[in-house]
């Protein structure tokens, strides 16, 4: 610190109190601010430290002494903050000011203290200050400060931020300008802030958002998602190397963040906002991008901008995630109705409406343009009187915008959009849809009782549904099949989709009067079952599992334990089961460890049922199926490599199809597992040792040595200690299946063995787990050591 500055704050001011957390110390620090109204290189460090100390005292005062806040507000100390920021050299302490404010608001617990701080509008003036956002540190602290403020919002505190009289809401308006910031953490903070704002039950504030920012923000955000999706699709098209998937993983995670954010908005149940968001989402993304890309027929291709056409693989994945995550009825029901019910005439109308529009691929107006115009209107009755720097958002290309939208129409659309929004809300009329079937209750009842018996020709008349059915044909690989199954499964399990829509094409068994099912779809699923059982099949285990899950949803009612499957389709499933059995039988004479693998695979199927939400999160599924384990792809998500993996696959296929066959025939499983748990010993069981072969040994563990007797059972590896209460009996201290035991000689001691026991992991998403036993076993002599090893090896072979 500069000597003169230090002297001025001591000799000519009060002496700093010894107690840093006290009102006296706050008064001392306030004196420093009063004596240093101008920021300079000489006092910059002093002011930075003073601001930090002030935040500590205020947090202490919030908990212990209310007079601290009284003094802080009486002296108007926030004004000093503003003055420092506005000075030329103020940018040097902007970071400290923002950090101080962030810490302060984050730690205040007393509502009265909070309201004192928010009074006099100083906080809003700080929010509106023109910070240098080219400085990443300032941007990070500024957004963090705004997010912290948003966490304090409620029906009372909202009045400190939203000024109904001036129609002004800087906390929200300034934050959403960063919605597409390059830094991920900034975008996440902005989304958190918007959710905190939307959930405040204040109708006038919601009206402000609806009139001034909702359409603009949501349209730009949907546009931002659309551009991200195009990049995501480009990664899938151009990167076929599964070992180079880092960028795709990041892009996938970002897409998931986008749609979870949309779902979070819908969950707030603010109808006026949900209507706008739903309209933007359907009309600017789901219909013109997703649905257009689902079908590839030339006669439907009226899109003038071919860049929005996605790969079919990408489209199916994106749709599956929409149905999995979004649980907002108007969106998912409308989308489902389009996919399942739209005939050729309706599809042509949709394609004509959207395909010949150019502007739908652009947001109505760039967000910062809208907000700048809004701010300009607030400041002046005549916007042309003042110059406003209009910064177009990064996702727009300026030349393209000037080409498609004239400068006049862009400015004129701003006021028209607000007026249109206001008119829609005041009339309480939801936007009419061109393409959804607006069924009456009578229509729903009729369709529920008389679902269509769709045949090939009728499905062909429904282009979107027909595309899903055709994607189930596994020609080169099962990639499209996997994601088509994912769409159908997520669609049928989404709780917000009316069962009547699904029943109209027989995609559920919930109807009490069900007498038939979608025979075309079931026929395709039976084809997949039979393809999965042939030698060198290109059907992966995950695809077979999804096939079986969907098949059961179509023909089996789990609640009533009733199967609706026809004799013809059951015979096809039985044929697949026999084929799987024959394929497995090929490995019996050649694989010594077949029984080990058999038990292990059965245990894995029981412990780790597949969950579709985790499968869809895995970027590996977006690459062509690989065979090499070196790729790091889990076995069930790739094709087998080598005889051992082919045997494992045959075992899994056998289990899956056999289980389906038994369930549809209402037969209870009695033969599996081969090893019955009730026949196995458990820890602390008492064992009669009179007819048992025992080998004494010392078990060297990490922290101790135990004297035990090794018992080698037909099924288990058992360690016991004698029962002191009952002669000739022992107490089981450790036991495990022989198939999990690995034995190795100790190279330095002929009397010792190294024994390791691994248990299969209980979660397929955890690659490895530590061994449950890894110890050195020392026997009395090398003869007993060799005997123990031979018995263990024979036990494994016998097992």
């Amino acid at each position: 610190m500069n000597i003169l500055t230090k002297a001025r704050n001591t000799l000519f001011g009060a002496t700093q109190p010894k107690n840093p957390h006290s009102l006296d110390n706050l008064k001392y620090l306030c004196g420093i601010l009063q004596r240093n109204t101008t920021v300079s290189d000489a006092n910059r460090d002093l002011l930075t430290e003073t601001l930090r100390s002030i935040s500590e005292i205020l947090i202490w005062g919030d908990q212990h002494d209310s007079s601290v806040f009284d003094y802080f507000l009486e002296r108007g100390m926030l004004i000093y903050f503003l003055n420092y920021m506005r000075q030329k050299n103020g940018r040097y302490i902007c970071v400290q000011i923002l950090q101080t404010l962030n810490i302060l608001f984050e730690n205040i617990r007393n509502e009265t203290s909070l309201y004192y701080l928010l009074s006099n509008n100083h906080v809003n003036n700080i929010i509106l200050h023109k910070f240098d956002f080219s400085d990443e540190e300032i941007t990070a602290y500024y957004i963090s400060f705004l997010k912290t403020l948003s966490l304090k919002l409620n029906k009372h505190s909202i009045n400190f931020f939203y000024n109904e009289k001036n129609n002004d809401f800087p906390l929200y308006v300034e934050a959403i300008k960063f919605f597409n910031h390059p830094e991920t953490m900034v975008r996440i903070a902005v989304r958190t802030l918007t959710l905190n704002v939307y959930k405040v039950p204040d109708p006038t504030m919601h009206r402000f958002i609806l009139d001034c920012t909702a359409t603009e923000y949501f349209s730009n955000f949907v546009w931002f998602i659309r551009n991200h999706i195009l990049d995501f699709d480009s990664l899938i098209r151009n990167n076929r190397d599964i070992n180079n998937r880092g960028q795709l993983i990041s892009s996938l995670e970002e897409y998931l963040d986008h749609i979870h954010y949309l779902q979070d908005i819908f969950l707030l149940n603010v109808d006026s906002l949900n209507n706008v968001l739903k309209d933007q989402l359907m009309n600017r993304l789901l219909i013109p991008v997703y649905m257009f890309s689902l079908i590839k027929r030339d006669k439907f291709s009226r899109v003038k901008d071919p860049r929005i056409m996605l790969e079919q693989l990408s489209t199916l994945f994106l749709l599956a995630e929409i149905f999995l995550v979004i649980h907002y009825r108007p969106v998912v029901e409308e989308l489902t109705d389009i996919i399942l019910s739209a005939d050729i005439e309706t599809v042509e109308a949709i394609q004509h409406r959207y395909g010949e529009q150019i502007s739908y691929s652009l947001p109505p107006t760039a967000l910062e343009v809208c907000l700048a115009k809004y701010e300009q209107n607030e400041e002046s009755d005549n916007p042309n009187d003042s110059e406003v720097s209009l910064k177009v958002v990064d996702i727009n290309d300026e030349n393209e915008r000037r080409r498609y939208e004239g400068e006049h129409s862009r400015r004129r659309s701003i006021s028209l959009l607000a007026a249109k929004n206001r008119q829609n809300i005041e009339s309480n009329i939801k936007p009419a849809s061109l393409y959804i079937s607006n069924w009456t209750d009578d229509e729903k009842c009729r369709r529920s009782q008389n679902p269509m018996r769709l045949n090939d020709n009728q499905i062909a008349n429904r282009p979107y549904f027909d595309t899903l059915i055709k994607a189930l044909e596994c020609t080169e690989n099962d990639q499209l099949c996997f994601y088509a199954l994912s769409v159908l499964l997520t669609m049928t399990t989404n709780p917000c989709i009316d069962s009547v829509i699904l029943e109209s094409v027989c995609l559920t068994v919930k109807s009490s009067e069900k007498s038939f099912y979608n025979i075309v779809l079931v026929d395709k699923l039976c084809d997949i079952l039979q393809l999965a059982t042939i030698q060198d099949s290109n059907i992966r285990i995950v695809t077979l599992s999804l096939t079986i899950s969907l098949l059961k949803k179509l023909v089996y009612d789990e609640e009533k334990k009733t199967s609706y499957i026809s004799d013809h389709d059951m015979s096809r499933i039985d044929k697949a089961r026999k084929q799987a059995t024959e394929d497995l039988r090929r490995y019996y004479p050649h694989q010594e460890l077949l029984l080990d693998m058999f038990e292990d695979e059965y245990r894995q199927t029981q412990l780790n049922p597949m969950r579709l939400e985790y499968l869809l999160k895995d970027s590996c599924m977006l690459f062509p199926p690989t065979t090499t384990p070196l790729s790091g792809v889990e076995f069930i998500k790739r094709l087998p490599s080598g005889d051992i993996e082919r045997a494992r696959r045959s075992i899994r296929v056998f289990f899956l199809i056999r289980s389906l066959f038994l369930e549809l025939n209402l037969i209870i499983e009695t033969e599996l597992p081969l090893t019955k748990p009730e026949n196995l010993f458990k820890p602390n069981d008492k064992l009669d040792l009179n007819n048992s072969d025992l080998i004494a040994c010392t078990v060297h563990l990490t922290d101790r040595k135990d004297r035990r007797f090794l018992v080698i059972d037909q099924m288990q590896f058992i360690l016991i200690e004698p029962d002191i209460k009952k002669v000739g009996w022992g107490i089981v201290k450790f036991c495990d299946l022989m198939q999990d035991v690995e034995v190795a000689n100790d190279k330095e001691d002929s009397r010792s063995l190294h024994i390791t026991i691994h248990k299969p992991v209980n979660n397929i998403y955890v690659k490895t787990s530590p061994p449950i036993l890894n110890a050195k076993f020392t026997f009395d002599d090398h003869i007993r050591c060799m005997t123990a090893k031979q018995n263990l090896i024979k036990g494994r072979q016998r097992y």
Side-chain angles (χ1 to χ4, degrees):
M1 184 187 302
N2 184 280
I3 295 176
L4 293 177
T5 303
K6 186 175 182 179
R8 186 177 60 175
N9 288 288
T10 54
L11 295 176
F12 304 104
T15 304
Q16 182 170 12
K18 294 182 179 180
N19 184 3
H21 296 151
S22 64
L23 177 59
D24 290 337
N25 193 33
L26 181 61
K27 291 178 180 179
Y28 169 79
L29 296 173
C30 181
I32 294 178
L33 298 185
Q34 290 172 342
R35 289 188 294 275
N36 294 271
T37 55
T38 303
V39 181
S40 65
D41 292 339
N43 66 4
R44 188 176 65 195
D45 293 338
L46 171 65
L47 290 175
T48 300
E49 179 61 24
T50 301
L51 291 170
R52 187 194 64 77
S53 300
I54 287 173
S55 66
E56 289 184 2
I57 297 173
L58 289 175
I59 292 168
W60 172 85
D62 178 57
Q63 305 293 325
H64 302 93
D65 187 356
S66 60
S67 63
V68 167
F69 263 93
D70 294 340
Y71 183 84
F72 181 83
L73 295 169
E74 286 173 7
R75 294 291 178 173
M77 294 176 75
L78 281 178
I79 297 176
Y80 291 102
F81 290 23
L82 271 168
N83 289 337
Y84 292 146
M85 289 189 300
R86 289 167 178 168
Q87 293 176 32
K88 181 179 180 181
N89 294 323
R91 63 189 183 91
Y92 293 113
I93 62 171
C94 273
V95 170
Q96 182 59 52
I97 290 174
L98 290 171
Q99 191 176 15
T100 298
L101 291 170
N102 195 32
I103 294 172
L104 186 58
F105 281 98
E106 191 172 2
N107 290 279
I108 285 180
R109 298 292 178 264
N110 189 304
E111 263 196 7
T112 304
S113 301
L114 175 66
Y115 295 161
Y116 282 163
L117 277 175
L118 294 175
S119 60
N120 298 324
N121 211 39
H122 293 319
V123 172
N124 283 328
N125 289 331
I126 291 172
I127 293 172
L128 289 169
H129 177 71
K130 301 300 182 183
F131 290 96
D132 178 13
F133 292 121
S134 62
D135 187 323
E136 293 182 1
E137 193 174 14
I138 288 179
T139 303
Y141 279 114
Y142 178 75
I143 293 298
S144 180
F145 171 53
L146 298 188
K147 187 186 80 170
T148 300
L149 289 176
S150 75
L151 294 172
K152 303 295 181 180
L153 290 176
N154 55 45
K155 62 182 180 181
H156 303 296
S157 63
I158 189 67
N159 296 313
F160 291 103
F161 298 99
Y162 169 59
N163 188 323
E164 182 179 358
K165 182 179 179 181
N166 296 332
N167 207 27
D168 188 26
F169 194 1
L171 174 65
Y172 175 74
V173 172
E174 294 302 315
I176 60 176
K177 293 177 182 179
F178 295 86
F179 83 100
N180 63 340
H181 193 273
E183 180 60 44
T184 303
M185 296 308 296
V186 172
R187 295 199 303 271
I188 291 174
V190 170
R191 294 175 191 181
T192 302
L193 182 146
T194 59
L195 294 173
N196 291 334
V197 169
Y198 297 153
K199 71 182 180 184
V200 177
D202 189 305
T204 56
M205 180 268 291
H206 286 158
R207 179 65 173 268
F208 165 81
I209 292 175
L210 193 69
D211 288 348
C212 300
T213 66
T215 300
E216 292 80 358
Y217 173 57
F218 289 146
S219 65
N220 275 270
F221 184 73
V222 170
W223 164 260
F224 180 66
I225 297 176
R226 172 195 173 280
N227 272 278
H228 172 71
I229 286 169
L230 293 180
D231 294 338
F232 177 74
D233 179 66
S234 178
L235 284 174
I236 295 175
R237 291 174 190 254
N238 301 321
N239 183 12
R240 314 308 286 172
D241 182 6
I242 198 168
N243 295 313
N244 185 24
R245 55 182 182 268
Q247 195 173 358
L248 185 61
I249 291 173
S250 300
S251 188
L252 171 57
E253 290 173 350
E254 186 170 354
Y255 175 67
L256 295 179
D257 287 343
H258 293 331
I259 58 175
H260 278 285
Y261 172 59
L262 296 175
Q263 170 63 5
D264 288 340
I265 297 176
F266 287 133
L267 285 175
L268 296 176
N269 293 322
V270 183
D271 291 338
S272 57
L273 295 180
N274 284 355
N275 286 339
V276 177
L277 178 56
K278 178 252 181 186
D279 184 58
Q280 295 295 325
L281 190 60
M282 293 298 298
N283 296 330
R284 297 186 180 279
L285 181 67
L286 299 183
I287 301 298
V289 180
Y290 287 17
M291 300 311 299
F292 274 30
S293 303
L294 191 60
I295 54 179
K296 299 297 184 183
R297 299 185 180 184
D298 293 337
K299 65 179 179 180
F300 296 126
S301 297
R302 293 193 175 92
V303 184
K304 293 191 175 181
D305 184 1
R307 292 173 298 170
I308 70 158
M309 299 299 289
L310 308 175
E311 283 286 303
Q312 203 168 39
L313 175 68
S314 307
T315 307
L316 292 172
F317 162 75
L318 297 169
L319 282 172
E321 284 290 359
I322 288 291
F323 286 119
L324 180 67
V325 175
I326 302 296
H327 289 174
Y328 181 59
R329 186 178 296 275
V331 169
V332 291
E333 278 198 347
E334 191 166 294
L335 194 59
T336 302
D337 187 39
I338 295 170
I339 293 174
L340 300 182
S341 306
D343 56 19
I344 291 178
E345 182 180 353
T346 305
V347 171
E348 287 181 336
I350 295 172
Q351 301 275 32
H352 181 79
R353 170 179 173 177
Y354 290 98
E356 293 190 355
Q357 290 184 17
I358 297 172
S359 59
Y360 85 85
S361 64
L362 298 170
T365 311
L367 182 58
E368 290 203 10
V369 172
C370 297
L371 297 180
K373 185 73 174 180
Y374 154 72
E375 292 166 0
Q376 193 177 29
N377 286 334
E378 290 294 319
E379 294 172 2
S380 170
D381 293 334
N382 185 3
N384 296 323
D385 292 342
S386 60
E387 293 184 6
V388 178
S389 175
L390 303 183
K391 176 180 175 294
V392 180
V393 290
D394 295 339
I395 54 176
N396 285 320
D397 180 89
E398 180 66 19
N399 293 329
E400 185 178 75
R401 174 169 292 282
R402 289 181 182 277
R403 188 184 315 123
Y404 289 117
E405 292 184 282
E407 198 68 28
H408 269 321
S409 62
R410 181 172 63 187
R411 291 182 177 179
R412 188 172 59 250
S413 66
I414 298 170
S415 57
L416 293 176
L417 282 168
K420 183 180 178 182
N421 276 339
R422 191 178 300 111
Q423 184 179 1
N424 281 341
I425 298 305
E426 288 175 354
S427 61
N428 197 26
I429 298 176
K430 295 183 179 180
S433 174
L434 168 71
Y435 35 78
I436 191 170
S437 301
N438 294 311
W439 296 344
T440 62
D441 291 339
D442 291 340
E443 176 72 3
K444 286 185 177 182
C445 182
R446 184 182 66 79
R447 292 194 182 221
S448 178
Q449 294 178 356
N450 301 296
M452 294 185 64
R453 297 173 182 265
L454 295 175
N455 54 36
D456 288 325
N457 292 331
Q458 289 170 320
I459 289 181
N461 191 46
R462 302 183 179 204
Y464 296 129
F465 192 27
D466 185 46
T467 298
L468 282 181
I469 300 296
K470 288 184 175 178
L472 299 177
E473 299 173 359
C474 304
T475 52
E476 296 181 6
N477 57 50
D478 66 346
Q479 259 194 305
L480 281 180
C481 178
F482 171 81
Y483 283 114
L485 289 167
S486 299
V487 172
L488 291 167
L489 274 170
T490 52
M491 188 188 296
T492 55
T493 54
N494 190 305
C496 292
I497 297 176
D498 195 324
S499 60
V500 175
I501 298 177
L502 302 175
E503 272 295 325
S504 67
V505 290
C506 304
L507 278 183
T508 177
V509 295
K510 292 181 180 178
S511 173
S512 58
E513 300 182 6
K514 185 172 181 66
S515 58
F516 59 94
Y517 47 81
N518 192 313
I519 55 174
V520 177
L521 181 54
V522 170
D523 191 51
K524 294 289 184 186
L525 298 178
C526 288
D527 288 343
I528 297 172
L529 294 182
Q530 292 187 325
L531 282 173
T533 61
I534 65 175
Q535 191 172 353
D536 298 327
S537 172
N538 64 355
I539 307 294
R540 291 170 289 179
I541 299 297
V542 286
T543 305
L544 178 61
S545 298
L546 296 190
T547 301
I548 290 172
S549 297
L550 182 58
L551 183 59
K552 286 198 293 187
K553 284 188 175 296
L554 297 176
V555 302
Y556 181 70
D557 190 333
E558 291 191 8
E559 294 180 2
K560 299 178 181 179
K561 303 297 180 185
T562 304
S563 173
Y564 301 99
I565 195 164
S566 67
D567 292 340
H568 170 72
D569 290 327
M570 178 55 76
S571 67
R572 295 194 66 189
I573 294 173
D574 188 30
K575 182 179 178 182
R577 179 185 65 87
K578 292 175 180 177
Q579 203 166 312
T581 307
E582 287 299 318
D583 184 57
L584 178 58
R585 190 173 285 127
R586 293 188 300 114
Y587 297 97
Y588 186 74
H590 307 292
Q591 290 292 340
E592 296 180 357
L593 300 178
L594 186 65
L595 286 179
D596 285 13
M597 288 191 289
F598 194 86
E599 286 288 273
D600 186 52
E601 292 299 321
Y602 182 79
R603 183 163 43 181
Q604 289 287 356
T605 59
Q606 299 303 305
L607 289 174
N608 302 312
M610 293 184 192
R611 297 178 61 182
L612 182 56
E613 57 266 35
Y614 288 111
L615 295 175
L616 288 176
K617 287 179 183 178
D618 194 339
S619 62
C620 297
M621 302 302 296
L622 293 166
F623 290 90
T626 183
T627 59
T628 173
L630 299 177
S631 62
V633 180
E634 191 182 352
F635 170 69
I636 61 173
K637 301 174 186 174
R638 59 177 172 82
L639 297 173
S641 173
D643 289 339
I644 292 179
E645 287 197 345
R646 291 190 187 95
R648 284 184 63 194
R649 182 191 179 281
S650 295
I651 293 170
R652 282 290 184 105
V653 171
F654 171 77
F655 285 147
L656 289 169
I657 296 181
R658 183 177 185 274
S659 175
L660 172 66
F661 176 80
L662 294 178
E663 199 164 4
L664 294 183
N665 282 284
L666 309 179
I667 299 173
I668 299 175
E669 175 65 78
T670 58
E671 297 179 3
L672 293 175
L674 300 178
T675 303
K676 301 293 188 283
E678 60 270 16
N679 297 333
L680 301 176
F681 292 104
K682 301 175 183 61
N684 298 321
D685 282 354
K686 294 187 177 181
L687 180 64
D688 185 357
L689 305 178
N690 291 316
N691 297 318
S692 302
D693 292 331
L694 305 178
I695 304 177
C697 61
T698 301
V699 183
H700 300 265
L701 299 170
T702 305
D703 53 349
R704 68 181 190 276
K705 296 179 182 179
D706 293 330
R707 188 66 176 172
R708 295 285 184 260
F709 287 93
L710 176 62
V711 178
I712 299 165
D713 183 67
Q714 284 190 347
M715 306 294 291
Q716 289 179 281
F717 172 92
I718 304 172
L719 292 176
I720 66 167
E721 69 176 9
D723 187 350
I724 58 176
K725 296 181 180 179
K726 195 172 183 180
V727 178
W729 287 73
I731 301 174
V732 177
K733 290 298 180 181
F734 179 86
C735 57
D736 196 70
L737 296 175
M738 288 296 298
Q739 71 181 53
D740 300 326
V741 178
E742 297 178 6
V743 187
N745 288 323
D746 189 313
K747 296 180 180 180
E748 298 178 355
D749 186 358
S750 62
R751 298 178 302 125
S752 299
L753 296 174
H754 288 281
I755 297 179
T756 305
I757 298 179
H758 286 277
K759 268 289 188 191
V761 293
N762 292 334
N763 189 335
I764 58 175
Y765 306 103
V766 177
K767 302 302 182 184
T768 60
S769 62
I772 60 173
L773 179 68
N774 185 11
K776 177 181 176 181
F777 284 68
T778 301
F779 300 88
D780 295 339
D781 52 54
H782 74 280
I783 301 297
R784 288 181 174 82
C785 179
M786 292 299 297
T787 302
K789 181 180 180 182
Q790 290 173 2
N791 288 342
L792 288 171
I793 294 173
K794 288 179 181 178
R796 279 181 56 84
Q797 292 175 344
R798 183 167 58 245
Y799 181 86

